[in-house]
Structures are given as structure tokens and as C-alpha cells.
Amino acid sequence: MDPHSESAKMASGPKPTPPSTPKTARQQAMALLASADPAQLTEMVDALPVSTAHEIVRPAETGLVMARGRMGGTGSPFNLGEVTVTRCVVRLSSGEVGSAYTLGRNKQHTRNAALCDALWQHPAHTVVIDSMIITPLAEMRDAARHLVKAETAATKVDFFTMVRGDD
Amino acid sequence: MYVAVKGGEKAIRNAHKLLAKQRRGRTDVPALTIDQIAEQLAISVARVMGEGSLYDEALAALAIKQSRGDLIEAAFLIRAYRTTLPRFGYSEPLDTANMLVERRISATYKDLPGGQLLGPTFDYTHRLLDFTLAAEGEAPLDAVETAAIDEGPMPRVTDLLSDEGLMETDPLPQEDDVVGDLTREPLSFPADRDLRLQNLARGDEGFLLALAYSSQRGYGRTHPFTGEIRYGAVEVEFFAEELGFAVSLGEIKLTECQMVNQFDGSAKTPPKFTRGYGLVFGQVERKAMAMSMVDRSLRWEELGEECTAPVQDAEFVLSHSDNIQATGFVEHLKLPHYVDFQAELDLVRRMRKEWFAAREKRDEDLGLSETKEQEAAE
């Protein structure tokens, strides 16, 4: 059975955004912010040439999300185990509301990510956030992934056939 | 009658101080840092996250430090901690096909697309102690090789054979699927596969390993082949109600095992390959394999097989797999049972008294009958 037809069937399920839906630019930016190195993100936010003044709408709070797997990889879901998650909502004085959900318990990370999400939505700041934070984060992530793939590729098995001596 | 006895507060306080001292060990030896544990004892950390059922490397490392490396105690600390946090909800199902693969092997298909990637593995090492690691300041590491990346897809191996109908397909999700959750409802029987997999995912590695081994040795035959093992990072997504879309939370490391089993067919099902599934936090390959073998064994009823072995007995397996529950019940035996035992003492004294009385009476009766027999013989 073609696995793609199976994911097409899953798309008709109750969830509004199945995994096959392409991510919006905001979702992609939020993903990069969530997976950023916290110290790195702090440095980047501190270096921003725009006002980062904001108020906290929902203070950073740590909780749990139950991670789900699928039976056999593509089947019905089951509960695998929980992950710690911290979430935060901030608002700029201009009204943009930024949200962040990040794995782990680092509240400063989450708050920075929410701030960047809010600034990214501000029409005057999107470009600067993209160029000073999102694009560099994407480049760092791609470089890290590339290294993992290249190191893993070096452990790929090359099979060769032994020729029997009497042949 | 229940009699409460108080006492031992000072002894307990002092015992815990002594424990703290012993945990730290000699103070001229540097204390372990959480980062050291998380980085260098990563597989212990993964085991604690899995059996503690909470993915948080720093917390698991802290628990290992606090528990002096007692991994079940560490998992216990993690389970206790998680109860202090609110639950935000459930993630979107993880997509292991999109894993950033660090290791991927198949024992069934030599030339599968994407190839056999050994990654960081103990396999093919000679299990010789490396005394250079014991030297002050480890020797510099060999540079890690890199190679050209194959950007082609790396399909899960079980997707390869399914065209012919030789390989069973996964159960399709139903719209009204209610996914059982052991953290919300205690285990009850019969337990569906969702509950079984959750239970096994947080089950004790040693218990599952022994059960899987028993199935190989003939207690419930499974004929397993490792269809595929893959390990790497998978993105976790969470549907945020207030935003109206799914957000990426970041990536977690997972090991997935697809165990393929020959199946002779039954009244319900034609002959084909069936599968057991293992999915665990971190690089805990032995447990992922054991989980997939136990999962397959527990599917006997659905496939119309006979139940002949402990590994197939869901009630036996699932009720005893959780090492936090197991250790709680076994270890509670060392807590004071003075009153219970006093009652038992009284009971056994009375039973002994009755037993001796009965024996005396029997001897007397026998003595009489012996005399009669002697008389009769004479």
C-alpha cells in the first residue's frame, strides 16, 4: 500500500492541521525559534536594532504535552510519553501578540521566542527579524543537520560480493 | 485493631544526611555536573526518560545524580515530578518517516533505499575495556569522517513490501479513535493495542528484554526479523487551540523498531508477514527491539493465534512491566509491619498450640490402637 494514500486519508481526520499541510511562514519561523539554542537566541534578541518593549499577556509557564506515536509508524495513534514544554504569550505596544511553545523548561528562551514571533508579525519589523534572527537560525539548523547527515553517511555500509577462490 | 506508632524522626533525618554525604562521595573528587551526565551518560538518561515517561534530558540527568545512578529510583523521581506540572494537551502523532536519521539498519533488506547506516553503535565493537578512557584526561579523539549525503528518501522498510500484500499494513486511524492514556485512567483489561504500546513504552527494559528473550526460546514463537531500526531526531508538533494551527515544539530523539514476523495464516488472516512495533525515547535500541517483540506476541488474539506463553498474556505482561509500581510494592515490604506481624505471631502461636495438642491426642489414640493390635497379635 502506498504510504502517501494513507496520509491522504489521515488528512480527512478530525485534526484541523494534518502533518501533510505545508507550514506557513509564521509556523516555520516559530519552529526555528523553538529549536534555537537559548543562549544564541538571547544574544540575537539583545542585538536587535528595534524596540523590544512588550508586555506579558501570559507569563511563561512550564507544563506537559503527551507525545503520540503511531502503531507501526503510520497506524492509529498511541500515547508514547510526555515532554516538558514551556509556553508564553507577549504583546507589543503596537498590538501584535506573539506566542511561543518550546520543549524544555527554559522560560527565557520561550519569552524570547514569543517576543520574536510578535515582532515578526509587525509589518515594519518582519524584514529585520527575518534577516537578523530567522534566516541565521535556519542557516545554523541546516548546517547542523548537514553535519549529522554527512557524519552518518560515512557509516553507510558498502556491500561487496566475495568471489570464491575456486571460481 | 490498628495501633499507630510514631518515632524515628531523628533517625530518618540523620539517615538522609548520611545519604547526602555518601551520594557526594569523596570531596576531593569533583562533583558530577548535570551537563556531564546528560552528555556522557546519554543512554542512562534516555532510559530514565523512557521509564519515567517524560522527555527532559536535564531533569533525567538531575534524577540520575540525585539517585546515585539508581536508574529505577531516578525514573521514580521523574514520575513524581511530572505530577506537579499541568498538562497542555496531546501532540500531533510523531512522523518517524521524517526523522533526521543518525542510524538506520535492516536485517531483512540489504539494499533498501537510503542504505544501511550504522551510526553511533556498540555493534561490531569487541567489548574490550578501553583503558585509555581511564587515563587522566582522555586522549584526543580521532576526527569523525564525513561522506557525501544521499538526499533520496529513506522510506520505512515496512512500506517497501506492502505493495504485494506480503506485509500487513498498519491499522488505519478512525475518526472517532479515542486514544487510551494510562496517565488518566488506570490499566484495565482487555487492553487495546494503544494502551499496550503506552505501557510497553514506559515499561522496564529488563522485564521486556527477558520476555522478548523467552519468546525467542520457545515460549510463544514469534520468528522475528529486524525489519528496521532507526534512531534520530523527530519534530514534535502541538495543535495550539488559541492559535488555530500546529506549532513545532522542537525535536526529540527516538528509536523505532519494526520487527517482522513470519505468519502462517489463520482462519482470519492469510499467510503474510506481520509486525511488532517498538518506539522509545532516546537511543535505547535493546528496549525498542524487545518492545516490538512483546507487542507482536500480545497480538495473538487479533491474529487468531493460540495463547500458550507468558509473553502473550496481556494481563501478566502489562501488570508487571512498570518498574515504578513493581518497586513500590516489593520495596514497601521493608517498611514497618510490626502490627501485621504481631497478629501473625499470635495466629501462628495458636496454630502451633492446636497442632501439638492434635498430635498428642493422635499419639494417644495410636498408642491405644497399637496396644490393641499387640493384644490381637498375641
Side-chain angles (χ1 to χ4, degrees):
Chain A
M1 170 174 203
D2 178 6
H4 299 293
S5 66
E6 198 160 309
S7 57
K9 274 180 198 160
M10 283 187 286
S12 64
K15 289 288 184 183
T17 45
S20 51
T21 306
K23 282 182 181 165
T24 63
R26 185 175 172 206
Q27 277 174 305
Q28 289 179 37
M30 288 176 78
L32 287 162
L33 292 165
S35 61
D37 174 68
Q40 185 90 57
L41 185 59
T42 302
E43 273 180 36
M44 289 173 151
V45 168
D46 289 348
L48 283 175
V50 298
S51 164
T52 57
H54 62 279
E55 59 170 333
I56 304 290
V57 178
R58 196 154 76 176
E61 174 195 24
T62 298
L64 302 169
V65 167
M66 175 60 87
R68 284 185 164 164
R70 286 191 182 281
M71 297 172 191
T74 55
S76 306
F78 68 94
N79 290 313
L80 173 68
E82 288 164 317
V83 296
T84 49
V85 175
T86 303
R87 65 183 176 191
C88 180
V89 180
V90 303
R91 181 165 44 223
L92 304 180
S93 50
S94 45
E96 286 78 11
V97 175
S99 288
Y101 285 81
T102 61
L103 282 182
R105 292 164 292 122
N106 190 323
K107 290 183 175 165
Q108 195 194 4
H109 176 197
T110 317
R111 192 168 150 175
N112 279 332
L115 171 62
C116 291
D117 179 49
L119 288 168
W120 186 88
Q121 293 174 73
H122 190 297
H125 298 326
T126 310
V127 172
V128 75
I129 296 298
D130 268 339
S131 65
M132 292 190 69
I133 295 183
I134 305 302
T135 304
L137 285 179
E139 285 167 359
M140 278 184 264
R141 185 200 56 181
D142 291 348
R145 290 176 73 92
H146 187 273
L147 180 64
V148 168
K149 287 181 183 178
E151 287 178 349
T152 306
T155 69
K156 183 169 175 173
V157 180
D158 292 321
F159 290 102
F160 52 91
T161 309
M162 299 290 283
V163 179
R164 281 172 51 170
D166 56 357
D167 277 350
Chain B
M1 185 180 68
Y2 181 77
V3 183
V5 182
K6 286 182 74 171
E9 282 169 38
K10 191 174 154 206
I12 290 169
R13 206 163 46 239
N14 290 343
H16 291 169
K17 280 183 191 163
L18 189 56
L19 171 69
K21 182 185 170 190
Q22 299 274 354
R23 185 202 59 71
R24 175 59 182 85
R26 270 169 40 197
T27 51
D28 56 329
V29 176
L32 279 171
T33 67
I34 300 305
D35 283 347
Q36 284 172 346
I37 296 170
E39 287 293 314
Q40 296 172 43
L41 298 180
I43 295 179
S44 294
V45 167
R47 184 169 176 186
V48 169
M49 295 195 300
E51 293 170 22
S53 201
L54 178 62
Y55 194 103
D56 187 312
E57 285 159 330
L59 279 181
L62 171 62
I64 289 169
K65 178 171 176 168
Q66 185 179 332
S67 65
R68 310 177 70 194
D70 180 338
L71 300 187
I72 293 181
E73 181 74 19
F76 199 160
L77 292 170
I78 293 298
R79 290 266 187 105
Y81 176 81
R82 68 159 285 284
T83 65
T84 65
L85 295 178
R87 170 78 73 82
F88 294 162
Y90 294 88
S91 83
E92 299 293 308
L94 300 162
D95 183 7
T96 52
N98 266 331
M99 178 183 278
L100 174 62
V101 167
E102 292 185 42
R103 170 167 166 78
R104 189 278 199 113
I105 53 158
S106 168
T108 51
Y109 305 103
K110 182 166 68 73
D111 298 312
L112 76 175
Q116 309 266 353
L117 302 164
L118 298 182
T121 179
F122 294 121
D123 294 354
Y124 313 109
T125 62
H126 294 118
R127 268 75 186 205
L128 299 173
L129 275 177
D130 178 2
F131 287 97
T132 64
L133 297 180
E136 280 294 320
E138 290 179 28
L141 298 172
D142 289 341
V144 169
E145 304 290 330
T146 56
I149 298 167
D150 174 6
E151 289 287 6
M154 205 179 293
R156 277 173 299 222
V157 73
T158 45
D159 298 332
L160 297 175
L161 257 193
S162 50
D163 286 344
E164 279 183 78
L166 280 174
M167 185 74 72
E168 71 165 341
T169 50
D170 288 323
L172 281 179
Q174 304 298 315
E175 287 211 13
D176 53 354
D177 262 350
V178 177
V179 185
D181 186 351
L182 295 174
T183 66
R184 288 290 179 268
E185 294 281 336
L187 186 63
S188 62
F189 298 97
D192 288 339
R193 195 173 175 206
D194 53 346
L195 283 178
R196 300 200 301 255
L197 286 169
Q198 185 183 9
N199 176 285
L200 298 177
R202 51 194 241 154
D204 182 74
E205 178 177 326
F207 182 71
L208 299 186
L209 177 66
L211 284 171
Y213 182 43
S214 76
S215 76
Q216 285 180 285
R217 291 193 63 256
Y219 292 87
R221 295 177 308 152
T222 49
H223 299 288
F225 291 94
T226 300
E228 182 183 65
I229 293 170
R230 58 169 62 198
Y231 160 70
V234 175
E235 187 175 50
V236 188
E237 289 188 305
F238 176 70
F239 185 82
E241 295 286 345
E242 74 281 15
L243 295 174
F245 58 81
V247 291
S248 168
L249 304 176
E251 290 180 333
I252 62 174
K253 296 284 191 82
L254 296 171
T255 305
E256 180 185 58
C257 178
Q258 304 268 7
M259 200 62 85
V260 174
N261 302 265
Q262 172 204 323
F263 179 62
D264 298 340
S266 68
K268 291 184 190 172
T269 318
K272 61 169 137 181
F273 290 106
T274 56
R275 291 188 280 143
Y277 188 65
L279 186 66
V280 297
F281 289 153
Q283 192 177 9
V284 188
E285 200 163 290
R286 186 186 302 118
K287 176 166 165 187
M289 294 178 76
M291 175 176 171
S292 61
M293 290 162 74
V294 175
D295 170 50
R296 173 60 186 79
S297 295
L298 290 171
R299 294 179 57 208
W300 63 273
E301 198 165 12
E302 159 200 349
L303 293 164
E305 295 172 318
E306 272 184 90
C307 179
T308 56
V311 67
Q312 296 169 291
D313 182 338
E315 198 157 343
F316 176 78
V317 171
L318 304 179
S319 302
H320 301 119
S321 61
D322 191 303
N323 58 25
I324 310 304
Q325 284 175 4
T327 204
F329 203 43
V330 168
E331 293 205 52
H332 102 281
L333 292 174
K334 61 193 173 178
L335 300 177
H337 283 66
Y338 306 135
V339 177
D340 308 54
F341 190 67
Q342 193 66 47
E344 297 261 322
L345 262 183
D346 288 347
L347 182 65
V348 173
R349 281 200 184 104
R350 198 170 67 240
M351 282 158 45
R352 280 171 65 87
K353 205 171 156 187
E354 287 165 7
W355 187 86
F356 282 112
R359 191 176 71 169
E360 206 169 309
K361 184 165 183 299
R362 189 194 60 192
D363 286 353
E364 278 170 17
D365 292 349
L366 281 176
L368 276 176
S369 64
E370 274 167 22
T371 322
K372 278 178 190 163
E373 277 167 23
Q374 277 170 2
E375 282 168 4
E378 282 165 13

